[in-house]
Amino acid sequence: MNGAQALIRTLVACGVEACFANPGTSEMHFVAALDAVPRMRGVLCLFEGTATGAADGYGRMSGRPAAALLHLGPGLGNGLANLHNARRARTPLVAVVGDHATYHKRLDAPLESDIDSLARPVSAWVRRSLRAADVAADAADAVAAASAPPGGVATLILPADVSWTEGGEPAPPRPPRLPSPVPGEVIGPVAKALRGGEPCVIFLGGAGLRRPALEAASRIAEATGARLLAETFPARHERGAGLPAVSRLAYLPEIAAGQLAEGRHLILAGARSPVSFFAYPGLPGSLAPAGCQVHVLAEPGDDVAGALASLADLTAAAVQPRLQPPGRPGLPAGELTAHTAAAVIGALLPEDAIVCDESATSSVSLPAATAGAPPHDWLTLTGGAIGQGLPLAAGAAIACPQRPVIALEADGSAMYTISALWTHAREQLDITSVIFSNRSYAILAMELDRVGAVASGDAARSLLSLSRPPLDFTALAAGMGVPASRASTAEELAAHLRRAFAEPGPHLIEAIIP
Ligand SMILES: Cc1ncc(C[n+]2csc(CCOP(=O)(O)OP(=O)(O)O)c2C)c(N)n1
Ligand SMILES: [Mg+2]
């Protein structure tokens, strides 16, 4: 068995069953080995940012790492933005980066570069395999590192000769590491703060936004009057009818500051203390109000749900969670705007949907419009690096083939990784992509004013406009094998969505909005 075969067998034995790949010559033995290990599903992505974003979506939804196969430093570089988002999401993910043969590196061939340095900022773990006999153990260590709570990117650098040399042998999975239990000495003082009568905010993130944690948090809120808030960009937020409803902290710091203003105690459960996304002249970056005491109940790698359950036992023994009743907006008629589009989506969102939300300025009305929809998962742009949504949807759909996936995409963001549509089509994934076509980088037009930049002429504004020439998303989708339609009214959007949800396979709807 060569190194590549031992590597893939080990990955599969460790629960890694999908590999989002954009290979090159140095990865040909890895590619060939896929035929020997049919349990590893190879998924071709036409750009590395799609491979890494899809691996992120897969990991978020399955809780197990997928592999992303990348070609040397440039391939890794193309995949970095979505590895950054995965790092922020704390997604378990194994990046396998092919490299030149060990003895070829000193020749400084054209693709030679410092892969280790590129990998480090996004990786919780980096290792270079040096011998075919070691690569399986390295792979098992990589999966363990990626899966160690709270989850992260493990990068395994794979020289070509390590892949092709005989003498590999599969390695067994490492024992799983569990989230750290939160000790009573941490929970007790938080319970005391909650009982103390001063206003408390419980700030939820990571595993704190999954059902068991949400139910415990809701019991605490019901019993003590504490307010619940979710981090602004969660990796995976379970919401909808039958779950506790938790609003997210706003993106804009003035609104976020208002949401937090009353709190005298800020209790962190799986989330870091909130900060504003950017600095603005004259505004503070930390959002915890002055004089507010910050309590770390559970770090992201801790047993967040367990800590909240213990806290609920102390503060809310006989209290039930408050669950969101079912309720959908009525179907609007007439003009299509981000607001009416949100109502249409809320009215029609299928049961058990996975929503990948990269809708930027078009997202404002979505939380309220979907709050009482059937239960669903909401996945967001954790690291702010746009170009994530269409790849994320591909990975989520492969992790959860029985569930409908909806990608809500701003037009500018969609273009970064538009080739993900080809993977949607090739794998026949049940993904409905809605493109909010406002033909601009609208958020930047807003930020231009907010940061106090003075843009007096057309040169600056034209850098934020996508209208010349207008993008034709239905043509782009059709060219990649995804059936597509365009909606200019609320009624058209509803009709197209109904059809897309009823038919299996991918669809794209271009929603023309102001
Ligand atoms: C990788 C990366 N490059 C650039 C940016 C800067 N950026 C933030 S938002 C944005 C444009 C967003 O436009 P669009 O996706 O159309 O959303 P809209 O604001 O129009 O709703 C850009 C370029 C970024 N966040 N990430
Ligand atoms: Mg736009």
Side-chain angles (χ1 to χ4, degrees):
M1 188 184 300
N2 66 25
Q5 287 162 347
L7 165 63
I8 297 183
R9 283 187 202 284
T10 301
L11 289 175
V12 166
C14 296
V16 180
E17 295 184 325
C19 177
F20 299 93
N22 189 267
T25 304
S26 39
E27 294 79 56
M28 285 300 112
H29 284 83
F30 185 107
V31 170
L34 289 173
D35 280 330
V37 193
R39 266 179 64 199
M40 178 65 89
R41 177 170 177 181
V43 178
L44 180 58
C45 300
L46 302 186
F47 175 67
E48 292 85 350
T50 299
T52 53
D56 183 8
Y58 183 100
R60 290 193 203 186
M61 290 313 301
S62 71
R64 288 181 292 135
L69 180 67
L70 310 169
H71 184 51
L72 296 104
L76 172 61
N78 278 346
L80 275 185
N82 277 334
L83 287 177
H84 163 86
N85 288 322
R87 176 175 83 89
R88 288 288 175 184
R90 304 188 180 90
T91 303
L93 193 162
V94 175
V96 178
V97 185
D99 195 7
H100 286 312
T102 47
Y103 55 84
H104 195 67
K105 289 188 73 64
R106 65 183 175 78
L107 301 180
D108 194 30
L111 273 162
E112 179 60 33
S113 69
D114 184 354
I115 298 173
D116 306 66
S117 292
L118 283 169
R120 234 168 256 123
V122 293
S123 305
W125 180 100
V126 181
R127 188 180 295 170
R128 172 180 293 275
S129 251
L130 293 174
R131 300 187 321 153
D134 297 336
V135 68
D138 292 337
D141 289 346
V143 177
S147 309
V153 175
T155 301
L156 181 63
I157 303 170
L158 180 66
D161 54 335
V162 172
S163 278
W164 73 50
T165 300
E166 294 295 316
E169 218 177 284
R174 308 300 184 222
R177 273 188 269 170
L178 298 174
S180 315
V182 174
E185 306 86 84
V186 172
I187 296 169
V190 179
K192 194 166 165 229
L194 283 162
R195 290 203 209 90
E198 291 187 322
C200 294
V201 174
I202 303 177
F203 192 52
L204 299 160
L209 294 171
R210 305 292 296 280
R211 184 187 284 271
L214 287 167
E215 289 183 350
S218 174
R219 290 172 54 210
I220 298 164
E222 289 300 297
T224 67
R227 280 184 49 224
L228 303 181
L229 265 182
E231 60 187 347
T232 310
F233 292 107
R236 179 176 176 187
H237 182 185
E238 284 187 62
R239 61 195 295 278
L243 283 137
V246 179
S247 304
R248 281 152 54 188
L249 189 70
Y251 165 80
L252 292 178
E254 352 18 332
I255 301 177
Q259 287 172 290
L260 293 165
E262 301 291 294
R264 284 290 150 268
H265 298 272
L266 181 62
I267 298 163
L268 306 178
R272 289 273 149 78
S273 194
V275 297
S276 75
F277 209 80
F278 291 108
Y280 297 94
L283 285 179
S286 172
L287 294 172
C292 163
Q293 193 181 344
V294 178
H295 307 257
V296 181
L297 174 69
E299 296 273 6
D302 290 339
D303 179 4
V304 180
L308 286 165
S310 301
L311 191 59
D313 288 344
L314 290 176
T315 60
V319 179
Q320 294 298 308
R322 178 198 288 263
L323 304 180
Q324 168 73 42
R328 291 177 183 269
L331 274 172
E335 195 196 359
L336 193 60
T337 63
H339 183 71
T340 57
V344 175
I345 290 161
L348 300 178
L349 193 75
E351 177 102 34
D352 215 19
I354 301 167
V355 180
C356 299
D357 176 9
E358 191 176 35
S359 50
T361 56
S362 297
S363 68
V364 177
S365 303
L366 283 165
T370 54
H376 55 271
D377 283 287
W378 202 276
L379 280 50
T380 76
L381 182 61
T382 45
I386 62 175
Q388 182 207 39
L390 296 173
L392 199 73
I398 287 174
C400 303
Q402 310 306 328
R403 299 181 59 178
V405 177
I406 294 103
L408 302 177
E409 278 293 308
D411 51 358
S413 301
M415 286 305 293
Y416 283 63
T417 43
I418 193 75
S419 68
L421 292 174
W422 183 87
T423 300
H424 295 186
R426 162 185 265 225
E427 302 290 331
Q428 278 303 296
L429 304 176
D430 193 13
I431 300 171
T432 301
S433 300
V434 177
I435 309 289
F436 291 98
S437 185
N438 61 8
R439 293 161 307 277
S440 83
Y441 284 168
I443 193 164
L444 297 186
M446 175 189 83
E447 296 282 21
L448 187 68
D449 300 325
R450 286 174 44 81
V451 295
V454 182
S456 47
D458 289 344
R461 294 280 164 192
S462 87
L463 232 49
L464 310 180
S465 162
L466 306 181
S467 63
R468 238 175 347 104
L471 289 156
D472 182 343
F473 281 94
T474 60
L476 287 165
M480 286 181 272
V482 173
S485 53
R486 183 175 289 131
S488 304
T489 64
E491 290 89 336
E492 282 169 7
L493 179 60
H496 296 328
L497 272 180
R498 281 205 171 97
R499 184 170 142 239
F501 292 151
E503 286 177 6
H507 294 80
L508 179 140
I509 303 165
E510 181 174 6
I512 306 290
I513 56 167

